[in-house]
Amino acid sequence: MSDETLKRPVSPVQVEPEAKKQHTEGLVVATPQPKDDHFAKGIAPIKAEYLIPHVPGTHNTITFDDEEGLGDREDAGEEGSDKRGKGRGKKARGQNKKRDLAQHHETIRLCSTVLDPENVKECRFGASKCRNTHNVEEYLASKPADIEGICPVFRAIGYCPAGLKCRWLHSHYNKELNKLIKDLGVMEAAKQNNYEVNKADIQAKAELQRKKFDFAISNRVIPYLDSLVQKDLPKKSTQDKTKELMNAYVEAPFKPAEKKRLNLHRAKIVSPLTTVGNLPYRRLMKTLGADVTYSEMALAFPVVNGANAEWALPKAHLSEYPGFGVQIATAKHWQAVKATEALAKLTTHVSEINLNSGCPIDLLYRQGQGSALMEQPARMVRILNGMNMASGDIPVTLKIRTGTRDGHWNGAAVVKRVLNDTDVAAITMHGRSRQQRYSKEANWDYIGQVGEIVEAYNNDKEEDKDSAETRRVFFVGNGDCYNFEDWNQAVERKGVDSVMVARGALIKPWIFEEVEAGQYLDKSATERLDILRTYANFAIEHWGSDEYGIKQARRFMCEFLSFFHRYIPVGIMERMPAKLNQRPPMWKGRDDLETLLASTDYRDWIKITEMFLGKVGEDFHFTPKHKSNAYEPQA
């Protein structure tokens, strides 16, 4: 790391929550705590030698939004209150909902037909009419200087698909011979264990877009499910129609016991995470001990319509399988059935298809999706049964919350109905209601009560001789798991098979290493930097080593750092554990790198990406999702 990077002013690090502040002359000042109560509730216990005294007149008090939107679509969450962030010295709050995420393309772009000088292809537009240049010399002269080091893609798979557009071109290009270098040995090894899967066929997606795809199973299942919700026909007529459709329906070829086996007992599970839960992050988590990963939530309707953006979500790295699940959201059974059938037919490495019935955001809730399904259990049951009929040998699972309204939890009742009326392979419960969001701690007592319901159901099935073809239903808890102690306490509850970890795995990606070791691991700043390096390499392998790929990798790495920077090292803590809702006072690290990694300023996150992705260009832009991270630090 360069001296310039370490000398750059680093923003003050996190401090206590809003409840521990007082406002004086337009400034937000930390309220001093009595010596005998140095680490009051809500303040992380940091050793005195690492604390930085408050400097009046500086923005050294940072507030954070607890609502992370981890199960939400990008920027679709509710707007946080911004009223207290408009005065001098006050921090903005809420989300930057309208941030521009698009990156600029190169001024001079090289046509893909001339990427490899030895394998020039015919351009369908012709060199004279093509919007991109065919003049290699002109393009190479316009490129920014190469990034130092070896191309991560070339190192990983033995060649670089970006060809002449690669920003590490010098590492695999013989300029004198005008020839791209290829390592045949690495290429052969990469074919066996280093490639991405679940890439939908272009022709199949085109058929979906033109509504020509053969939904053979869906066309039989949907009319049957439709008959179950007909209300405008006389009762006798409705019953006759239902019987007719039931007789015409041919049962799906796979029974519950014949589907792929799931084993979530004590499994180390990473939650579906929108934006940050991309393929490079999930691949990183597999290297750090995760057993199960999930795609970002896909909306069923765009999946059925063959939208490229939605079909990018089921893509996974080979290392994720088995143990990779695809999560979908919908409010209509016909969408769920068709999306499930398409996923089953067009993907090759999917262990489960998960129905999201817990997403809390208004946009989906008003459409009847996400947590709104908990208020309509009959509809949820129809969707789950339809998915099971269309999923082939892929098991169907469910994720829910405790309920939608605080004090009116119906999660237990929903679970009972799902167990009795469907063939789901697993149920995950987030320990908060939709109304709570992240404002309160997850209710693990309630999760435990529901776990006992699932345990009793499984025991009854084992004793029932007529249910020999069924399998036990796994039950997973979710919420507030930030260390190995939280994980162990959760899985010791009766009926709870495992824990699905979300923010805990973003702030501390090595959490499953701690679970395995049964102790806190004091990762040094250098070790944490190596984790970021691995992520950067995976990101370049996924998005590409050209200018556009680097911009994508840098943007998503900044999204990752928006959580990663919140980690408080074990070595500076006075006692353990620290919870996520405990904000630290201003602190400094044990070295300059540790202080930099804890910076709350997004400009420092960009600076960190430069260590692996080269110097940032003037046309790159990044706006943090949360306004509290977008401020000018004081020198």
Side-chain angles (χ1 to χ4, degrees), residues 544-596:
S545 59
D546 60 355
E547 186 66 19
Y548 179 76
I550 287 177
K551 288 177 180 177
Q552 288 293 92
R554 198 186 304 276
R555 178 242 159 160
F556 284 104
M557 192 171 182
C558 286
E559 302 280 11
F560 179 27
L561 282 164
S562 71
F563 291 92
F564 191 80
H565 83 275
R566 295 189 181 190
Y567 172 68
I568 306 173
V570 173
I572 75 167
M573 297 288 290
E574 187 165 277
R575 62 175 180 267
M576 297 296 291
K579 296 184 178 181
L580 186 67
N581 61 357
Q582 290 182 317
R583 304 305 189 201
M586 285 180 58
W587 61 274
K588 61 182 178 180
R590 292 165 289 190
D591 54 43
D592 289 338
L593 177 57
E594 191 161 77
T595 303
L596 177 65

Side-chain angles (χ1 to χ4, degrees), residues 183 196 404 571 579:
D183 189 326
E196 295 181 4
T404 56
K579 296 184 178 181

Side-chain angles (χ1 to χ4, degrees), residues 110-117 119 121 139 151-169 171-172 180-183 187 190 194-196 199 540-547:
L110 185 67
C111 180
S112 60
T113 61
V114 294
L115 289 179
D116 186 347
N119 187 26
K121 301 175 183 178
Y139 173 75
C151 171
V153 180
F154 177 76
R155 186 192 298 116
I157 64 176
Y159 75 102
C160 181
L164 296 175
K165 296 175 70 174
C166 178
R167 288 295 312 281
W168 289 268
L169 181 60
S171 67
H172 54 77
L180 294 174
I181 301 171
K182 297 181 180 180
D183 189 326
M187 288 175 63
N194 188 9
Y195 59 93
E196 295 181 4
K199 297 179 180 179
I540 290 298
E541 287 183 49
H542 178 59
W543 283 297
S545 59
D546 60 355
E547 186 66 19

